[in-house]
DNA sequence: TCCCCGTCTGACACCGGTGTCATAATGTCG
DNA sequence: CGACATTATGACACCGGTGTCAGACGGGGA
């Protein structure tokens, strides 16, 4: 099996390289007859253009990278799967790039990534989506990027999110309507902008239902299971004990559930528990966790789709013709499982 | 900021392109003085070679792809993280390629991947590691590949595994030594070769301890939580009920735990449960699951490391000089948590 | 001194595509 | 029917590196 290049195709079809290239890229000014000849040659020789050569000539790699630093494996794989779907649809490939937000040298790390892999664009996922320095850096370098689940909308870049504040509001409201008044809250990681959003939703629900905010019911977490366990330790030993706990994600909620079970508390009768994200664990434990499901795949898919669009159009001479800042908000969905019910008394 | 190419460096250092290239690739026959001049130019111009151009000239992409089809998110991310570690260390990048084993066109899918991304090598993870057709296909196409956790060792390709049979043996033996005699078993996905290995370990432990194998205690699963739930349904309603359940992975074990809890059975007193893999869920639930921890990252890291070595040496003229079939087996570790204890009576 | 040989270096073609431009063929209008 | 615009096509340089080969240089043996 010998290699089929554009030259083979050209001589087989009896035309020049350039004409073959025209057909490949759907350029105008190719007669129907010629086009047919070339297409036939493609098929008969089973030709696939070499993306590397293409990349060199057009200064493109057809690769985008996905940045993340997230403790939740399921979140990561959902991001990846959404990104991949969009990539494959447009002939792109995806590079994954986990890296630490707090690393002493995030920007250096990214710079090196850009240098060594020549990616065409970047998808920022939490907690990078709202990292001001990084965003500024990418803008200055003119690297196309899109943000997933970012909060700070600056009207200049692609951003796809879901409404965390509203989700947290709804789940808190659910607890309130079940009759809970003392609802503890476990915050997420301070670097994630979702953390503040979810906290805000919690407070707004309390406020709208005339329930006083009690600071001692709020614990600092960081989205990890471990931090949830620590917070649970404090919350479950309060006197009086709150009748419900709303944790900013499912891992922390699972930790609360485990701690409660170990203390022989019945969930949801003795204490109701709610989480956020609809991670697999939410339905793998008993009782299943009431939580909020976000369309993570879809968010990422859309973000990447628009990113690729931007990359491709930046490629045309038209240059910046369309400063169309795409900002999309998708709906999150409340999922009720067994971990929430009315308080006992 | 203008682009720095090999030409800029060459003229800055006052040498030819080719000499710069020699320095870049650590080729011999460059005088120390010249080398210093070029290295100085690298630093002062802050030069990074363009991997795409390099790739075109040497017919390499410096990218390898990781194939998987696995329901366990944590397993996937562990694979990825091990593969990435090795890739980054050697200046490679990683492409992820989830795809369905059962797809009508696995080989077409892979062929397309090879065509469109020109990857330098492939990492096969379960269940692809033992996919005979795929392996034959890759050999025929002369695509370098390495296998993670494969069972069929054919002495011709790189393969890094851990001993599943032994792990399953140990965990079964643990249950037996605790006093269990009726130990149910839930099999994994039939396409995964680990499934048979784990089953074999279970049977060997029974045999070595003089316990008769009871076919009705064995259920067919497929590694998914859902299949675990189905199997649990059957097993927990057997009369007499077995005193222990060993599931082929932690998700299925978690499903058994959930089902048992819903039936008001106490774990481990009424029924002991063991899993496999040490997935996060094993320690996120109560009681924590006794399980087997495999060094998945390390396995993948080693596999990729040797894959890259093979790729790089195949690049030299030496051609196949070293038919060194690398097959490594790493240790798995038994982790005891609260889900196992002696039977009640 | 001459010849041979190993070391060091650069000119040049090449990898497999794309961009630019010139030119030929065709159509359109006054 | 000639002037000119438009479409179709190919020659050639170019992207940024690497491989091949020839030539310059210096040292050692005859």
């Amino acid at each position: 099996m010998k290699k089929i290049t554009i030259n083979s195709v050209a001589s087989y079809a009896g035309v020049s390289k350039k004409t073959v290239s025209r057909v490949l890229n759907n350029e105008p000014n190719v007669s129907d007859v010629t086009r047919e000849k070339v297409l036939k040659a493609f098929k008969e020789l089973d030709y696939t253009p070499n993306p590397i050569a293409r990349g060199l000539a057009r200064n493109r790699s057809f690769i985008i990278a996905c940045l993340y630093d997230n403790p939740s494996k399921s979140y990561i794989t959902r991001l990846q799967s959404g990104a991949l779907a969009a990539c494959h649809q447009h002939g792109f490939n995806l590079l994954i790039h986990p890296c630490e937000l707090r690393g002493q040298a995030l920007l250096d790390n990214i710079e090196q990534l850009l240098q060594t892999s020549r990616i065409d664009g970047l998808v920022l996922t939490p907690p990078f989506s709202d990292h001001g320095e990084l965003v500024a850096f990418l803008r200055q370098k003119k690297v196309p990027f899109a943000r997933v689940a970012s909060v700070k909308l600056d009207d200049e870049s692609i951003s796809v999110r879901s409404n965390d504040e509203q989700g947290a509001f709804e789940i808190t409201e659910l607890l309130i309507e079940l009759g809970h008044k003392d609802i503890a809250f476990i915050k997420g990681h301070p670097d994630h902008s979702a953390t503040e959003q979810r906290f805000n939703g919690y407070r707004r629900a309390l406020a709208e239902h005339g329930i006083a905010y009690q600071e001692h019911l709020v614990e600092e977490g960081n989205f990890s299971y471990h931090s949830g366990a620590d917070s649970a330790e404090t919350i479950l030993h309060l006197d009086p004990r709150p009748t419900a706990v709303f944790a900013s994600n499912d891992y922390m909620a699972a930790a609360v559930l485990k701690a409660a079970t170990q203390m022989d508390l019945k969930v949801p009768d003795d204490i109701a528990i709610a989480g956020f994200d609809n991670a697999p664990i939410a339905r793998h434990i008993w009782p299943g966790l009431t939580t909020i499901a976000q369309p993570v795949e879809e968010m990422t898919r859309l973000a990447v789709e628009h990113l690729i669009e931007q990359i491709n159009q930046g490629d045309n001479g038209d240059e910046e013709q369309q400063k169309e800042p795409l900002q999309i908000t998708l709906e999150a969905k409340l999922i009720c499982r067994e971990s929430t019910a009315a308080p006992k008394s």
Side-chain angles (χ1 to χ4, degrees), chain A residues 4 8-10 12-13 36-47:
Chain A
I4 308 294
S8 339
V9 179
Y12 185 93
E36 285 312 315
K37 270 196 301 189
V38 175
L39 289 176
K40 188 161 151 256
F42 283 172
K43 251 183 214 134
E44 294 183 0
L45 297 178
D46 196 20
Y47 167 72

Side-chain angles (χ1 to χ4, degrees), chain A residues 109-153:
Chain A
N109 182 328
I110 303 301
E111 174 132 39
Q112 202 194 336
L113 172 69
L114 294 174
Q115 289 290 327
T116 63
S117 52
R118 307 280 161 138
I119 51 170
D120 291 338
L122 219 43
V123 193
L124 307 186
T125 71
F128 297 107
S129 313
D130 285 307
H131 191 293
E133 247 184 294
L134 177 58
V135 167
F137 176 78
L138 294 176
R139 280 220 177 97
Q140 179 224 318
K141 293 245 164 195
K142 299 194 192 278
V143 179
F145 64 95
R147 307 147 96 186
V148 175
S150 69
V151 167
K152 298 179 200 143
L153 301 178

Side-chain angles (χ1 to χ4, degrees), chain A residues 47 76 170 185 189 196 206 212 343:
Chain A
Y47 167 72
I76 292 175
E170 286 176 18
F185 183 82
H189 195 294
E196 197 189 345
L206 294 183

Side-chain angles (χ1 to χ4, degrees), chain A residues 140-195:
Chain A
Q140 179 224 318
K141 293 245 164 195
K142 299 194 192 278
V143 179
F145 64 95
R147 307 147 96 186
V148 175
S150 69
V151 167
K152 298 179 200 143
L153 301 178
D154 54 10
D155 280 343
E156 282 190 48
S157 50
I158 298 164
S159 171
V160 185
R161 56 193 294 258
S162 78
N163 197 332
D164 285 63
E165 198 268 355
Q166 179 64 20
F169 175 84
E170 286 176 18
I171 214 162
T172 311
E173 188 166 60
L174 170 77
L175 290 169
I176 294 171
E177 285 173 351
L178 283 171
H180 294 277
K181 290 193 161 43
D182 295 334
I183 304 172
F185 183 82
I186 307 178
K187 286 185 171 181
H189 195 294
D191 286 341
H192 286 242
S193 47
T195 292

Side-chain angles (χ1 to χ4, degrees), chain A residues 203-221:
Chain A
R203 294 200 57 170
R204 180 162 66 90
L206 294 183
E208 290 196 9
H209 288 268
I211 297 180
Y213 168 67
Q214 300 172 267
E215 192 167 351
H216 74 282
L217 294 183
V218 175
E219 283 289 312
E220 307 278 337

Side-chain angles (χ1 to χ4, degrees), chain A residues 70 72-79 162 164 167-168 171 198 223 246-254 273-285 287-297 299 331-339:
Chain A
N70 207 299
S72 163
K73 320 291 190 199
S74 70
Y75 196 81
I76 292 175
T77 49
R78 293 180 68 192
L79 286 172
S162 78
D164 285 63
I171 214 162
R198 295 177 189 180
F223 285 143
F246 171 22
S248 291
N249 78 353
D250 290 333
Y251 291 98
M252 299 194 295
I273 298 176
F276 208 106
D277 284 346
N278 196 27
I281 197 174
R283 62 176 188 286
H284 288 353
I285 55 183
L289 293 174
T290 291
T291 189
I292 296 284
Q294 297 182 300
V296 178
E297 284 100 336
M299 280 161 56
E331 291 242 334
K333 216 170 53 208
L334 179 61
I335 295 192
C336 284
R337 295 206 179 85
E338 306 85 10
S339 69

